Amino acid sequence: MWRYLPVLLVLCFWQILCFLGTVPNYVLPSPIEIMEGLGTLLTTGMPPGHLLHNHILYSLYRVGWGFSIACALGIPLGLLMGWFPLFHRVLSPFVELIRPIPPLAWIPIAIVWLGIGIRSAAFIIFLGAFFPLLLNTASGVLSVNPILIDAARTLNATQKDIFFKVLLPGSLPSIFVGMRVGMGVAWMTLVAAEFSGVKDGYGLGFMIMTARDIQKPDQILAGMLIIGMIGFIIDWLFRAWESKIRPSV
Amino acid sequence: MHLELIGLGKTFADGKQSREIPAISSVNLRVEQGQLVSIVGPSGCGKSTLLRIISGLEKSFEGKVLLDGQEIVKPTNDVGLVFQQYALFPWRTMCENIEFGLEIMGMCKEERRAIAEKYIHLFGMQGFEDRYPCQLSGGMQQRVAIARTLIMNPKLVLMDEPFGSLDSQTRNDMQEFLMDLRRERNDTILFVTHNVDEAVFLSDRIVVLSKRPAKSLRIFELIAPHPRDRTSKESNDIRREVIGILRQERISPSPAAN
């Protein structure tokens, strides 16, 4: 834990600067004020009555939907793209054209199509997570050593056996990379998607935008801290899951 | 059981120049039950391609591969193939690798585990069952690969330079291990190698192939009983002769050059 010592020192320095009034606290609140802001988010809520844990639950709910749909479509399509060269050739031009459009640029059309609410938010998150999942899965299949497929064939494996017992486990490390990158993008996309309005008044992005509207930088920064920490915890959970089911290497 | 190769040939299409490059031209060979036949030849002469054809992995080729008179056109449990690079599944433990073929057959877990245990015992690999390939030495990995092939009891075992990437001490150990195994099981083995010493130590017959396009140049029958003395006069004579043919092949002008 010694490697976090420099962070601690910077926090102390920051606190001192704020204490001396070198930095005005309406621009940058001190670490202690941010902690107090966090306390307010937990107890009073922002806007008042809308408590932090509910914001977190709503955000996770949206990400859960968008990410699940991205997995359900991206992983199978990625496997097919890696396995069938023809499918790869047909799908690639679409991917190349659509992928460079930032997910956030889809927000207006998503609202036109799906209205403001969980469906459009989930759609934006889906777009963010889908392409990393699709492309990592496809490249995972392509990276499976062809000699392993030959070995399976000489042991009388059918196409179905090769798919489920060679290609799928062989591309699992890449699928995990895709899930971690996809989840990272999904989480980033979520907060921005919530800026543009949520119907039910909950969500971490909505929360910090509301805090901005009423000039509460301590609560904005506390909210940012929470968003970062949840992203970190989710990534940590994925890594723990991966090392549990793939105990080698 | 016997294997017959009749006029086996293979050409690869050279995409860039849209011409055909012959890799193998009319190889004829007969392998009898219980024999170990080695194939040696200059590097890149198509030895591996020959094994891929016999194993049924290659789709297009000329001639016929007959196993007990039955033509082989696709991979089957009757023909096993051991690769130089082991080709173990890195996400499976040793035991799960060995069981792979039985699992494909649909055998239940207890049954295949019991059979795999027998092979692990026979191969002297107890205590490593739950290790992953990357946690095993090269020699051990190749033993796992051989066990994975032999557990299917193929009529014919093809080995493609199986000891080619092992250090020379491990290589010698593995050659002796293979000889012990043959005393135990009497498998029929077609063994590709570029190592003449290895061929002379192991084989009942040695087939010397020419350079590309490969055809068989000469067949040696080796009658010395096993275990053989690697440095006996008889071994040395054959070795000298084989090496002489291979050197001649290397320096003679290539027919593919014109």
Side-chain angles (χ1 to χ4, degrees):
Chain A
M1 282 303 111
W2 283 106
R3 68 199 187 99
Y4 287 108
L5 188 66
V7 178
L8 200 66
L9 289 175
V10 168
L11 283 175
C12 290
F13 185 64
W14 175 2
Q15 183 66 42
I16 290 166
L17 284 185
C18 291
F19 180 74
L20 296 174
T22 322
V23 185
N25 71 345
Y26 59 84
V27 176
L28 182 65
S30 72
I32 289 173
E33 282 171 312
I34 293 173
M35 284 302 118
E36 285 165 1
L38 184 61
T40 315
L41 290 177
L42 279 166
T43 51
T44 315
M46 170 58 61
H50 290 215
L51 299 182
L52 177 62
H53 69 269
N54 281 327
H55 287 299
I56 294 175
L57 286 178
Y58 269 77
S59 286
L60 287 176
Y61 181 64
R62 292 186 185 106
V63 167
W65 266 110
F67 184 74
S68 303
I69 296 168
C71 285
L73 286 176
I75 294 172
L77 283 176
L79 290 169
L80 292 173
M81 263 176 95
W83 188 216
F84 298 108
L86 179 69
F87 196 69
H88 197 289
R89 278 202 297 277
V90 171
L91 215 59
S92 289
F94 293 99
V95 173
E96 281 162 31
L97 290 173
I98 297 172
R99 195 170 68 104
I101 303 172
L104 303 185
W106 287 81
I107 291 176
I109 196 72
I111 291 173
V112 170
W113 287 343
L114 303 164
I116 290 176
I118 171 78
R119 289 195 299 162
S120 58
F123 177 68
I124 300 302
I125 291 153
F126 159 79
L127 284 169
F130 176 73
F131 291 105
L133 274 160
L134 178 81
L135 296 177
N136 276 291
T137 304
S139 80
V141 176
L142 290 170
S143 72
V144 172
N145 191 342
I147 202 174
L148 296 180
I149 298 169
D150 284 342
R153 288 181 62 205
T154 64
L155 294 162
N156 231 11
T158 59
Q159 292 291 91
K160 189 181 138 213
D161 295 324
I162 290 170
F163 191 84
F164 285 107
K165 293 185 191 287
V166 181
L167 294 177
L168 190 59
S171 47
L172 208 56
S174 296
I175 294 176
F176 266 102
V177 171
M179 287 205 284
R180 284 179 56 197
V181 175
M183 184 46 110
V185 177
W187 191 244
M188 287 182 231
T189 314
L190 162 91
V191 174
E194 287 174 346
F195 283 176
S196 62
V198 285
K199 211 164 47 179
D200 26 39
Y202 282 106
L204 290 165
F206 173 78
M207 181 186 81
I208 61 176
M209 283 308 274
T210 313
R212 189 212 59 159
D213 290 342
I214 55 169
Q215 301 287 319
K216 293 280 186 196
D218 55 331
Q219 293 185 29
I220 296 176
L221 284 162
M224 287 164 61
L225 188 69
I226 290 296
I227 290 166
M229 273 174 58
I230 293 173
F232 178 82
I233 290 168
I234 292 172
D235 193 60
W236 179 81
L237 287 173
F238 269 110
R239 275 181 289 151
W241 181 27
E242 182 181 13
S243 63
K244 194 173 155 77
I245 65 166
R246 224 164 50 87
S248 60
V249 277
Chain B
M1 198 298 304
H2 65 275
L3 169 78
E4 260 180 300
L5 308 182
I6 304 167
L8 220 54
K10 168 89 187 168
T11 48
F12 285 106
D14 182 337
K16 271 187 225 144
Q17 303 180 23
S18 69
R19 57 168 190 181
E20 307 241 288
I21 296 177
I24 302 172
S25 75
S26 68
V27 169
N28 298 296
L29 182 67
R30 200 181 152 92
V31 179
E32 300 294 343
Q33 167 69 43
Q35 279 190 321
L36 193 156
V37 175
S38 285
I39 298 176
V40 298
S43 49
C45 78
K47 301 184 292 273
S48 298
T49 310
L50 193 65
L51 290 197
R52 286 180 61 85
I53 293 173
I54 300 169
S55 69
L57 287 173
E58 290 289 329
K59 279 199 192 92
S60 69
F61 58 90
E62 296 115 54
K64 275 197 173 105
V65 181
L66 299 177
L67 190 71
D68 286 336
Q70 292 281 324
E71 199 168 346
I72 291 182
V73 288
K74 64 176 179 56
T76 129
N77 277 338
D78 290 337
V79 183
L81 177 56
V82 175
F83 299 83
Q84 181 183 353
Q85 308 93 316
Y86 323 134
L88 296 175
F89 303 113
W91 55 86
R92 287 176 160 250
T93 62
M94 174 212 271
C95 205
E96 290 166 347
N97 263 288
I98 294 174
E99 289 172 19
F100 185 85
L102 301 178
E103 189 181 317
I104 295 291
M105 281 172 59
M107 188 182 284
C108 77
K109 200 173 172 154
E110 291 74 28
E111 211 174 333
R112 59 182 200 245
R113 180 56 50 106
I115 300 173
E117 285 295 339
K118 259 193 276 178
Y119 277 81
I120 288 168
H121 192 79
L122 176 66
F123 280 57
M125 304 190 293
Q126 304 94 315
F128 296 91
E129 287 88 342
D130 297 324
R131 300 273 186 98
Y132 287 87
C134 63
Q135 299 166 319
L136 302 170
S137 68
M140 182 85 86
Q141 287 187 52
Q142 192 55 291
R143 267 188 274 184
V144 175
I146 294 171
R148 181 179 67 178
T149 302
L150 292 188
I151 202 168
M152 306 305 290
N153 282 315
K155 291 179 182 168
L156 172 70
V157 182
L158 308 171
M159 296 192 171
D160 188 1
E161 302 200 19
F163 311 143
S165 44
L166 302 174
D167 64 81
S168 67
Q169 192 52 55
T170 311
R171 175 186 271 258
N172 285 357
D173 292 346
M174 288 298 288
Q175 289 165 358
E176 271 150 40
F177 165 73
L178 185 63
M179 286 294 102
D180 293 344
L181 205 61
R182 290 197 68 218
R183 264 197 294 284
E184 198 94 19
R185 294 176 42 102
N186 200 33
D187 288 297
T188 310
I189 302 175
L190 190 57
F191 191 100
V192 159
T193 177
H194 59 249
N195 186 319
V196 178
D197 297 8
E198 182 166 83
V200 171
F201 182 68
L202 296 175
S203 317
D204 301 313
R205 290 164 81 197
I206 299 177
V207 180
V208 184
L209 294 186
S210 68
K211 69 182 159 198
R212 267 184 177 208
K215 53 183 188 294
S216 72
L217 278 181
R218 177 86 184 265
I219 295 178
F220 292 86
E221 303 282 345
L222 289 84
I223 47 168
H226 295 284
R228 283 180 188 155
D229 177 357
R230 292 175 193 268
T231 54
S232 72
K233 180 176 182 307
E234 204 181 358
S235 296
N236 273 331
D237 287 347
I238 295 172
R239 191 179 305 154
R240 186 179 304 122
E241 211 169 335
V242 174
I243 291 171
I245 297 171
L246 291 175
R247 182 185 299 126
Q248 195 60 41
E249 266 307 291
R250 269 205 310 277
I251 57 176
S252 70
S254 166
N258 45 40

